[in-house]
């Protein structure tokens, strides 16, 4: 069963320096029917103007994944983690017992990225941070694991039974995924357009997947997509 969450149905907030779309309830946007999916709590698509960003602020007991699409994000946190995050790189921060961090636009153009929150498998984890680069070649034409609970295939480590994969598809190209029994998936189209098991999708659309064993994503125009494999 595929349940599409259309891009235009998402929550939206425009603060001038920040233009944000919320797949699930977040901040001033609340919809009791969209509080998350399984342990996936937040997918925000953010655009931040040059010279602006999120000043130092706190988080706790959350796994936070940042996935840039264009531009650069300057990250700094109270664990000592810091770096410039660009398209092709993925960052995971465990907020755990509490962390302070900032995310600023580190480029001279708008930065466009997805910020993802996943509920951890336990509270009170030690805060930590990691960042890795995944080449276009690694992701072109198939699903490449970028985040997992066991760091498989040199991916980032998340403290939850979630496997996050990324793909890049040229027009007409396809990527297949086998979903194990009793597993669920969320597919998020970051850019471009295509079909998932024959269902048409565009940038910003998300799809909740249950009771499916095989997923076939076909690009009708060049696309970038994320797939969350969830318990």
């Amino acid at each position: 069963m595929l349940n599409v969450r259309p891009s235009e149905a998402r929550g939206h907030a425009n603060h001038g320096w920040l233009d944000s779309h919320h797949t699930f309830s977040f901040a001033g946007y609340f919809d009791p029917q969209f509080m998350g999916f399984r342990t996936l709590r937040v997918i925000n698509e953010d655009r931040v103007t040059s010279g602006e960003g999120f000043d130092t602020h706190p988080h706790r007991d959350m796994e936070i994944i940042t996935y840039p699409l264009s531009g650069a994000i300057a990250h700094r946190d109270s664990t000592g983690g810091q770096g410039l995050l660009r398209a092709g790189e993925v960052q995971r921060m465990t907020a755990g017992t509490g962390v302070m961090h900032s995310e600023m636009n580190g480029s001279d153009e708008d930065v466009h990225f997805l910020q993802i929150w996943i509920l951890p498998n336990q509270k009170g984890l030690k805060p930590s941070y990691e960042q890795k680069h995944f080449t276009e070649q690694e992701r072109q034409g198939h699903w490449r694991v970028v985040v997992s609970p066991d760091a498989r295939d040199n991916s980032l480590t998340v403290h939850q039974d979630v496997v996050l994969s990324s793909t890049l598809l040229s027009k007409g190209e396809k990527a297949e995924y086998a979903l194990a029994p009793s597993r669920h998936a969320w597919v998020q189209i970051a850019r471009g357009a295509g079909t998932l098991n024959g269902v048409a999708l565009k940038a910003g659309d998300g799809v909740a997947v249950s009771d499916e064993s095989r997923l076939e994503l076909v690009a009708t125009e060049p696309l970038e997509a994320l797939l969350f494999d969830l318990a």
Side-chain angles (χ1 to χ4, degrees), residues 119-174:
L119 298 170
N121 54 19
Q122 60 179 301
K123 293 185 177 181
L125 292 165
K126 180 181 179 180
S128 61
Y129 157 93
E130 61 177 334
Q131 177 176 320
K132 288 185 178 178
H133 180 257
F134 301 92
T135 67
E136 291 187 2
Q137 290 76 14
E138 288 180 88
R139 298 178 291 142
Q140 188 68 48
H142 63 272
W143 294 106
R144 202 297 185 194
V145 176
V146 296
V147 179
S148 67
D150 53 7
R152 72 190 65 168
D153 300 328
N154 197 32
S155 61
L156 301 173
T157 305
V158 68
H159 299 91
Q160 185 51 270
D161 185 7
V162 174
V163 178
L164 171 58
S165 300
S166 167
T167 192
L168 299 170
L169 299 178
S170 301
K171 183 177 180 179
E173 202 169 20
K174 68 179 179 181

Side-chain angles (χ1 to χ4, degrees), residues 59-63 94-99 118-128 159:
H59 289 287
R60 67 181 303 121
D61 291 325
M62 194 66 68
E63 301 289 285
T94 294
T97 55
V99 68
I118 294 171
L119 298 170
N121 54 19
Q122 60 179 301
K123 293 185 177 181
L125 292 165
K126 180 181 179 180
S128 61
H159 299 91

Side-chain angles (χ1 to χ4, degrees), residues 12-94:
H12 182 223
N14 192 331
H15 302 284
W17 64 273
L18 167 67
D19 188 17
S20 185
H21 288 83
H22 312 311
T23 294
F24 305 116
S25 294
F26 184 84
Y29 168 65
F30 176 74
D31 185 333
Q33 296 185 28
F34 292 95
M35 297 300 297
F37 181 70
R38 315 300 292 182
T39 54
L40 179 58
R41 176 61 188 85
V42 166
I43 302 178
N44 288 346
E45 182 181 1
D46 292 341
R47 289 177 172 84
V48 176
T49 59
S50 180
E52 301 287 349
F54 302 93
D55 289 326
T56 302
H57 58 282
H59 289 287
R60 67 181 303 121
D61 291 325
M62 194 66 68
E63 301 289 285
I64 299 173
I65 297 167
T66 305
Y67 187 100
L69 296 166
S70 64
I73 304 163
H75 168 92
R76 184 181 298 270
D77 67 54
S78 55
T79 73
Q82 59 180 310
L84 200 61
L85 190 66
R86 299 183 183 277
E89 295 177 298
V90 183
Q91 176 199 102
R92 186 272 307 160
M93 185 176 70
T94 294

